[in-house]
Amino acid sequence: MKKKIRVGILTSGGDAPGMNACIRAVVRGCLSKGMEVFGIYQGYHGLIEDDIQQMSISSVADIIHRGGTILRTARSHRFREPEGRKAGYENLKKHGISALVVIGGDGTMTGGMLMGKENGIKVYGLPGTIDNDLGYTDTTIGFDTAVNTAVAAVGNIRDTSSSMGRTTVIEVMGRACGDIALYAGLAGGAEDILIPEQAYDIDKIAEEIKAGVARGKLHSIIIKAEGVALSTQALAEFLELKTGCETKTVLLGYIQRGGSPTARDRVLASRMGVKAAELIEQGAESSAIGIRGDEIVAIPLEEALSIKKKSHTDFIEICNLLL
Ligand code: F6P
């Protein structure tokens, strides 16, 4: 009898809404093609610790709508070293796993790519991160949910800011990438957006706030990405001083990472997960799976990771135009 292909799957780094939908798609996609699937708990940490269990069709029942990741996640310092990656690979070998699916961001994919190269195992990367900071794919799993969570929060903050006649500086996540700020800012009708990829002029922002107040505007919302060097508190103090408007700060924080994934993220995760199963069945080279336009694509893993992310700085112009 032909030996079944054994596939390992893990989630690593910061969790993102839609990771569960993606795990479900990979597990069910692979099982339907006659493969066996092994869940690795707590990312690369669990891989090194041999925290690995076989999964079945019911291991992924009732999870498509849940935030977080049933496989749990971690940031592993040991896996950053060749010795840690070797230890992880030895555990895969022990379980007879010949293909590894990793769901996570840049760090997760880079770790998987290095382990694959060093030890000769196929690795398939699925982009699970709220940050949308991977250049090879138009969007990542979790980004849409995080943006919608941020937009809902901006709406609530706008209500109280208007009532109180305040300016509010809202800090959103995204590491070095300004995409959550750009999308939440534009969709939330912010007065201005500050991102790490684009120079900003805080004197101009203060002038715009003053002009808005003179026109009878009741509030101002400024969205700032966490990767901007200037601290949110320092920006708020500066704006209050320059405009005379009471200025508050809100750090949205981890609220952006949790919650039930949007339909868009569930669909994206499901399509990408099934694509991973197809690639494994075909014996394709190590790849990163992404979306370009409406097409799910697979790009050689190392090449995908070298593609630089482009920023939608035009969103800031649109935002200023619509002030
Ligand atoms: O990468 C996802 C992310 O939520 C970033 O936006 C944020 O900077 C970081 O993770 C926070 O990481 P941690 O969970 O380790 O605090």
Side-chain angles (χ1 to χ4, degrees):
M1 208 173 77
K2 208 174 148 213
K3 240 175 125 198
K4 287 188 170 182
I5 298 173
R6 289 190 161 188
V7 179
I9 179 167
L10 60 80
T11 49
S12 171
D15 51 283
M19 277 185 164
N20 280 328
C22 193
I23 296 167
R24 173 179 178 269
V26 172
V27 171
R28 293 196 171 162
C30 288
L31 291 176
S32 74
K33 292 176 183 300
M35 301 182 237
E36 291 178 331
V37 186
F38 290 75
I40 300 155
Y41 290 81
Q42 286 192 73
Y44 293 124
H45 171 74
L47 181 58
I48 294 171
E49 297 297 321
D50 195 18
D51 192 356
I52 301 176
Q53 276 168 37
Q54 188 159 8
M55 299 180 86
S56 70
I57 204 163
S58 45
S59 312
V60 291
D62 202 25
I63 64 166
I64 193 168
H65 59 295
R66 288 206 213 144
T69 158
I70 58 159
L71 291 175
R72 305 197 48 222
T73 185
R75 299 193 194 279
S76 168
H77 294 289
R78 264 187 82 190
F79 203 75
R80 294 199 183 137
E81 305 301 326
E83 165 277 325
R85 295 193 287 270
K86 181 85 186 152
Y89 168 69
E90 289 302 328
N91 284 329
L92 292 176
K93 213 163 82 178
K94 189 170 108 187
H95 291 274
I97 295 168
S98 59
L100 178 65
V101 176
V102 301
I103 308 171
D106 185 42
T108 301
M109 297 230 187
T110 303
M113 183 270 289
L114 291 172
M115 186 183 69
K117 263 178 82 167
E118 289 160 0
N119 301 284
I121 184 164
K122 299 247 177 83
V123 177
Y124 302 89
L126 289 155
T129 168
I130 63 166
D131 298 340
N132 208 35
D133 57 351
L134 293 163
Y136 79 88
T137 180
D138 289 354
T139 185
T140 56
I141 298 163
F143 173 64
D144 186 61
T145 308
V147 167
N148 277 287
T149 303
V151 170
V154 171
N156 289 3
I157 293 162
R158 175 191 281 269
D159 288 347
T160 174
S161 296
S162 295
S163 306
M164 304 291 289
R166 286 172 176 162
T167 297
T168 309
V169 181
I170 306 173
E171 182 184 302
V172 297
M173 276 187 166
R175 228 180 259 279
C177 178
D179 276 25
I180 297 179
L182 289 170
Y183 279 75
L186 189 52
E191 271 58 43
D192 223 314
I193 307 169
L194 285 80
I195 57 166
E197 297 95 328
Q198 175 92 330
Y200 47 85
D201 179 347
I202 51 177
D203 286 302
K204 192 167 151 259
I205 298 173
E207 288 312 315
E208 281 163 2
I209 293 173
K210 278 181 11 197
V213 171
R215 290 201 308 272
K217 254 189 139 165
L218 294 176
H219 66 257
S220 299
I221 301 281
I222 311 297
I223 307 282
K224 188 186 91 72
E226 67 176 355
V228 170
L230 176 66
S231 87
T232 300
Q233 190 56 37
L235 175 61
E237 281 168 16
F238 174 84
L239 293 177
E240 183 164 297
L241 192 74
K242 285 280 178 163
T243 64
C245 260
E246 190 181 8
T247 304
K248 297 282 183 182
T249 59
V250 178
L251 268 58
L252 286 190
Y254 295 107
I255 191 170
Q256 296 157 97
R257 258 195 7 210
S260 182
T262 57
R264 202 180 179 83
D265 271 332
R266 296 182 203 188
V267 169
L268 182 66
S270 302
R271 292 178 71 197
M272 286 183 171
V274 166
K275 178 76 174 179
E278 284 168 9
L279 292 172
I280 297 167
E281 188 187 34
Q282 291 158 9
E285 63 183 318
S286 289
S287 316
I289 293 145
I291 185 163
R292 288 181 177 172
D294 194 37
E295 196 192 338
I296 301 294
V297 294
I299 297 151
L301 188 52
E302 195 167 359
E303 182 190 326
L305 293 173
S306 70
I307 299 173
K308 235 175 122 25
K309 164 89 188 160
K310 284 198 198 90
S311 179
H312 268 297
T313 45
D314 55 316
F315 281 22
I316 300 179
E317 286 155 38
I318 297 173
C319 189
N320 289 332
L321 186 78
L322 301 179
L323 254 184

